Amino acid sequence: MLYARFQLRVSLLRLLMLLGVMLSSAAFAGEYEWNQSAPVKTPLPGNANGKTVLFDVSHGGTEGNADWVIDGAFSDFADALVAQGYLVKEYRGVDLNGDGRIQFVDDYNDASKVGLNEAVITYDAISDADVLVLAETNRPFSVEEYAALKQLVDAGKGIFFIADHYDADRNLNTWDATEVYNGYNRSDLSKYNLHNHYGDLRNPKSASAGWLAENFGLRFRFNAVDYKSGVSGIVAPSQVEGLTQGVAPILMAAGATLAITDHTRAKGLVYFSAQDNPVKWNHAKDAGLYFGGEAEGPYVAISKPSIGKAAFIGDSSPIEDATPKYRRQDSGATKKTYPGWTDPGHASVLAVNIVNWLANQENYIGFGSAAHPAGVLTPTPLADTEKTDPNNGQPWSQPGSGYNPWDEATFDNGAYAAPCPVGGCDSNGNPDPGSVLSVAQALTAADGTALTVRGVVSQAINGIYGLELVDSNNSATGIYVKLEAAQRNDFNPQLNPSVLGQTLLVTGTRGAYMSQPGIRNVTDIQIASAALSVTQALAQPQGTEVTVEGVVVSELNGIYALLLGDSANPSQTINVKLEASQRNDFSPQLNPAIVGKTLRITGKRDTYMSGPSIEYVTDIQIVGDSGGNNGGGDTGGALTVSQALAQPNGTDVVVAGVVKAELNGIYALLLADSSNQSITINVKLESSQRSQFSPNLNPAILGKTLRITGRRDTYMSGPSIEYVTLIEQIGN
């Protein structure tokens, strides 16, 4: 196990050297929560196919509610590719100045800074990839970057362009993915005729003009169409390189189509059928839907311009999942993404088919032979309305005060590329020392920094003398802990195997151990509670995501909030602002019976009614009453599996049961009723939960009793628990 992890770290280090993101350096200690080790997902031994997929985040993909990263809202997509045998990596840019971090410098508005921007794409940096995934790129490419992308395709590699509707300008810089990929803005204003580094990016008002049309034979339309029932005009596999095999109608939750301008280089895979009834997206700035039917152009398309390949889809919704990692750049708020990967209109089958096709080099060029039929030209590939800009060169909404999409220094805490983590920074610009750090955050701290780290015990290190903590959200990210003599019996996995999988709070000093990033001089180790007390929550800095348990004391501000008291010290209280959907059940004014109940609440530390608070509440569960009697013994008042099966879909539940088997490979488990193990429910695991709770990855979890917080739903055609926010092992 140790050797395997060492090998993984060697592979990771090689990637980081390529991208210029070092594991640990005092020169940039604590500056960026996001600038930890770039995530890497590795296939299981014996399953590797020898190919690499890079997901680009150098030009966007994390703006607004977007979170298209392999350890965030594209984690299900990435995991599916890993299951196919791919090595999956995140691409951030090139460390030009050798300081160990990737920094965006605005070379778009200021030509004097050309050559300083490190969030760039070069051919040398991406040439090891078999497939490059570009997801909702929100900053334009330079002339050199467009050339690098075409060079990758001409070298026999593949690019998957994932776009969205017109005006999906998530960072409010007047560019969305349809414009970036086409190679020009919808506006023809002179401000889009830039310096030589970017060139003339004004609307050419010609369907055959622009980088995408000139090089790949198609363009993204500037439309914005809704069809959640699923785009059903799926072209026969024999006509489209077999790519639509097993593909069902695909959700379009506000998206764009493409127009085929050269049918010998490009062809559509999925169109609106005559039976489909798509409509204009409610917020579209123009007609939104231009022609309807096949004349609107394909929703999904491919191109074979050389020995390499490209694929295109007009919406991210059917590919994303509901597990965002980062905060919003403009507000620091928690993001909300769509569970499209498991939606009935998911594109998961098609997305994997596409990557497999892109990764398979074939030397034929273009379409038009019997083996590779030509596409169909789109009748009107450029609608008249697409020649004008309804926004007149302005963002669809003005950025809030203090936020500048071209300046990372203005990004809010916890956003990708932000100066500070969720907990904020101290006066020296380092993460607040009063915060409990994740393993990922701890890796950015300088040697000698005193800190407290929260992580999951994964293995013994150096025999009885140490352990490894892995990040709760990414088991591939770990740090070594050197144990003091008095701590070994309780916390070394070799001496105490039951500590494996436990979440610990470790207080010590950052310093290398066994030639790896580590924590030394450990002064305190505690097994972390599944939830904070109110007193502990009060000590967390504003902006921190917390899960808190406490007793409902009273209503606050009428129906809009409640006062939560510490179970051990009722004089310690915190204000809880309720979302509209939570008030009927949890407002003491509307439901007086809630007073005295013990609640577990997940939200963000903030200030409300001039006092410390929890806001942006995503989950509330009743876990007991004020006397500590939860009615469920060790299961904490959770429902049995039988009781959970009786709940309607959409109900938030806490369920206790026994792990009976794996389900759908690494992605789920089968939970059995403790009293009757023939009664089961499917549990869909989030990506961060799989290494510990998937029986496929961790067979030791079989037979264990788990307490699971999530929502009743349907998964794998059976009753399920999904959107799981918390899993706790009960007993041994």
Side-chain angles (χ1 to χ4, degrees):
M1 182 67 174
L2 177 59
Y3 176 75
R5 285 190 176 273
F6 174 75
Q7 289 296 94
L8 176 59
R9 290 181 186 283
V10 169
S11 300
L12 178 58
L13 183 57
R14 287 174 180 160
L15 171 69
L16 300 181
M17 290 175 67
L18 171 66
L19 302 187
V21 182
M22 305 305 293
L23 283 172
S24 176
S25 170
F28 65 98
E31 289 178 317
Y32 291 87
E33 179 180 50
W34 64 271
N35 207 359
Q36 56 190 267
S37 306
V40 177
K41 295 194 171 188
T42 306
L44 293 171
N47 191 45
N49 63 18
K51 296 181 183 292
T52 298
V53 180
L54 282 186
F55 280 71
D56 174 58
V57 294
S58 66
H59 285 68
T62 57
E63 283 83 357
N65 276 330
D67 195 79
W68 314 146
V69 291
I70 63 174
D71 53 347
F74 265 7
S75 58
D76 280 3
F77 186 11
D79 290 346
L81 296 179
V82 171
Q84 292 279 312
Y86 292 98
L87 176 64
V88 180
K89 305 178 181 180
E90 178 176 290
Y91 178 83
R92 295 176 172 179
V94 181
D95 182 17
L96 300 173
N97 61 11
D99 69 349
R101 69 181 231 204
I102 304 298
Q103 184 174 16
F104 170 70
V105 175
D106 183 10
D107 59 355
Y108 173 89
N109 295 297
D110 188 346
S112 70
K113 294 180 179 177
V114 170
L116 301 178
N117 181 20
E118 298 179 318
V120 295
I121 291 175
T122 68
Y123 177 71
D124 287 344
I126 63 174
S127 60
D128 70 328
D130 295 279
V131 178
L132 176 67
V133 179
L134 298 174
E136 289 199 57
T137 302
N138 261 232
R139 281 203 305 265
F141 295 123
S142 68
V143 173
E144 293 86 352
E145 288 173 318
Y146 280 120
L149 295 173
K150 186 59 167 59
Q151 186 178 357
L152 186 73
V153 173
D154 290 344
K157 308 299 184 69
I159 302 178
F160 190 7
F161 295 83
I162 301 173
D164 215 302
H165 58 84
Y166 174 70
D167 253 3
D169 169 20
R170 299 181 185 278
N171 59 358
L172 305 180
N173 69 350
T174 78
W175 285 91
D176 63 45
T178 63
E179 296 167 308
V180 175
Y181 297 155
N182 283 341
Y184 53 86
N185 196 275
R186 187 168 177 174
S187 171
D188 63 357
L189 293 176
S190 61
K191 72 176 185 176
Y192 293 102
N193 185 8
L194 286 99
H195 44 90
N196 290 340
H197 188 53
Y198 283 93
D200 189 349
L201 299 177
R202 292 175 294 178
N203 189 345
K205 304 178 184 180
S206 167
S208 60
W211 180 77
L212 204 62
E214 290 167 3
N215 289 285
F216 295 91
L218 75 178
R219 62 175 292 272
F220 277 100
R221 285 206 187 275
F222 295 141
N223 52 5
V225 187
D226 246 347
Y227 194 56
K228 296 184 178 65
S229 298
V231 184
S232 68
I234 299 168
V235 180
S238 61
Q239 299 298 303
V240 288
E241 318 305 304
L243 285 166
T244 55
Q245 190 69 46
V247 174
I250 297 176
L251 163 89
M252 179 185 270
T257 61
L258 298 109
I260 304 297
T261 59
D262 181 350
H263 66 305
T264 68
R265 286 188 293 173
K267 58 184 173 182
L269 275 63
V270 180
Y271 289 84
F272 292 120
S273 73
Q275 290 72 43
D276 292 342
N277 293 294
V279 297
K280 165 187 175 179
W281 180 48
N282 285 338
H283 304 289
K285 291 292 181 61
D286 59 16
L289 180 68
Y290 300 151
F291 303 100
E294 289 191 10
E296 195 72 19
Y299 178 30
V300 186
I302 56 173
S303 176
K304 190 71 169 65
S306 60
I307 62 170
K309 305 169 178 178
F312 312 83
I313 186 170
D315 192 10
S316 61
S317 296
I319 297 176
E320 71 197 72
D321 60 60
T323 60
K325 174 181 180 180
Y326 295 107
R327 298 298 184 90
R328 288 183 61 100
Q329 293 174 343
D330 53 351
S331 65
T334 301
K335 297 182 180 184
K336 295 181 179 179
T337 52
Y338 188 79
W341 192 260
T342 55
D343 184 275
H346 62 87
S348 58
V349 173
L350 180 57
V352 172
N353 288 353
I354 282 173
V355 172
N356 286 336
W357 179 73
L358 293 173
N360 179 31
Q361 183 174 324
E362 298 177 278
N363 291 332
Y364 74 91
I365 296 174
F367 301 121
S369 68
H372 307 286
V376 177
L377 288 170
T378 302
T380 308
L382 182 70
D384 286 341
T385 188
E386 297 180 271
K387 300 175 184 178
T388 60
D389 174 25
N391 292 326
N392 194 32
Q394 298 298 309
W396 63 268
S397 174
Q398 291 302 311
S401 176
Y403 168 68
N404 177 358
W406 301 100
D407 184 0
E408 291 178 348
T410 69
F411 294 178
D412 216 315
N413 295 348
Y416 182 87
C420 297
V422 172
C425 293
D426 63 18
S427 58
N428 296 316
N430 294 316
D432 189 329
S435 302
V436 174
L437 303 182
S438 66
V439 170
Q441 291 170 321
L443 286 168
T444 69
D447 284 356
T449 303
L451 39 68
T452 298
V453 183
R454 183 186 183 100
V456 178
V457 181
S458 63
Q459 64 172 329
I461 295 296
N462 193 24
I464 66 171
Y465 299 103
L467 62 85
E468 183 183 42
L469 286 182
V470 296
D471 195 276
S472 301
N473 295 314
N474 183 359
S475 60
T477 301
I479 194 167
Y480 288 0
V481 177
K482 182 179 184 294
L483 297 170
E484 301 299 320
Q487 300 159 350
R488 294 169 191 158
N489 283 338
D490 290 334
F491 298 108
N492 176 265
Q494 189 169 302
L495 297 174
N496 178 20
S498 67
V499 80
L500 284 168
Q502 294 274 14
T503 299
L504 301 184
L505 296 175
V506 178
T507 300
T509 304
R510 263 292 271 117
Y513 179 53
M514 300 296 293
S515 302
Q516 295 290 333
I519 305 169
R520 305 175 67 96
N521 306 315
V522 174
T523 58
D524 187 55
I525 304 181
Q526 300 178 31
I527 296 177
S529 170
L532 302 175
S533 67
V534 168
T535 301
Q536 291 170 325
L538 289 167
Q540 298 300 307
Q542 289 197 30
T544 305
E545 278 288 324
V546 294
T547 298
V548 186
E549 280 191 10
V551 178
V552 179
V553 176
S554 66
E555 63 85 18
L556 180 70
N557 192 25
I559 66 171
Y560 299 103
L562 62 83
L563 195 64
L564 196 72
D566 192 293
S567 301
N569 184 0
S571 66
Q572 296 290 305
T573 61
I574 194 166
N575 302 340
V576 178
K577 183 177 183 290
L578 299 169
E579 301 297 319
S581 61
Q582 299 159 352
R583 293 170 191 157
N584 283 339
D585 291 332
F586 298 105
S587 163
Q589 188 176 91
L590 297 175
N591 178 21
I594 203 69
V595 174
K597 299 293 186 184
T598 298
L599 302 184
R600 176 175 291 171
I601 300 174
T602 299
K604 185 168 75 171
R605 265 289 279 114
D606 214 313
T607 299
Y608 177 67
M609 298 294 291
S610 304
S613 72
I614 305 169
E615 299 190 41
Y616 310 104
V617 174
T618 57
D619 188 61
I620 306 183
Q621 300 288 336
I622 300 174
V623 295
D625 61 29
S626 59
N629 300 315
N630 54 35
D634 289 341
T635 61
L639 301 175
T640 65
V641 170
S642 297
Q643 291 169 328
L645 288 167
Q647 302 299 310
N649 280 5
T651 305
D652 290 328
V653 293
V654 180
V655 185
V658 177
V659 180
K660 186 173 183 180
E662 64 86 16
L663 180 68
N664 193 23
I666 67 173
Y667 298 104
L669 61 84
L670 199 64
L671 195 72
D673 195 284
S674 301
S675 301
N676 183 351
Q677 294 201 15
S678 67
I679 300 173
T680 61
I681 194 168
N682 302 340
V683 178
K684 182 178 182 291
L685 299 170
E686 301 299 326
S687 58
S688 62
Q689 300 157 352
R690 293 168 191 158
S691 62
Q692 186 175 355
F693 297 108
S694 164
N696 189 299
L697 298 175
N698 178 24
I701 202 68
L702 287 166
K704 302 295 186 184
T705 300
L706 301 183
R707 186 175 189 273
I708 299 175
T709 301
R711 184 181 305 167
R712 267 289 278 113
D713 212 310
T714 300
Y715 176 66
M716 299 294 292
S717 303
S720 71
I721 306 168
E722 299 190 41
Y723 313 103
V724 174
T725 58
L726 184 67
I727 305 181
E728 303 163 90
Q729 184 175 326
I730 301 170
N732 295 321

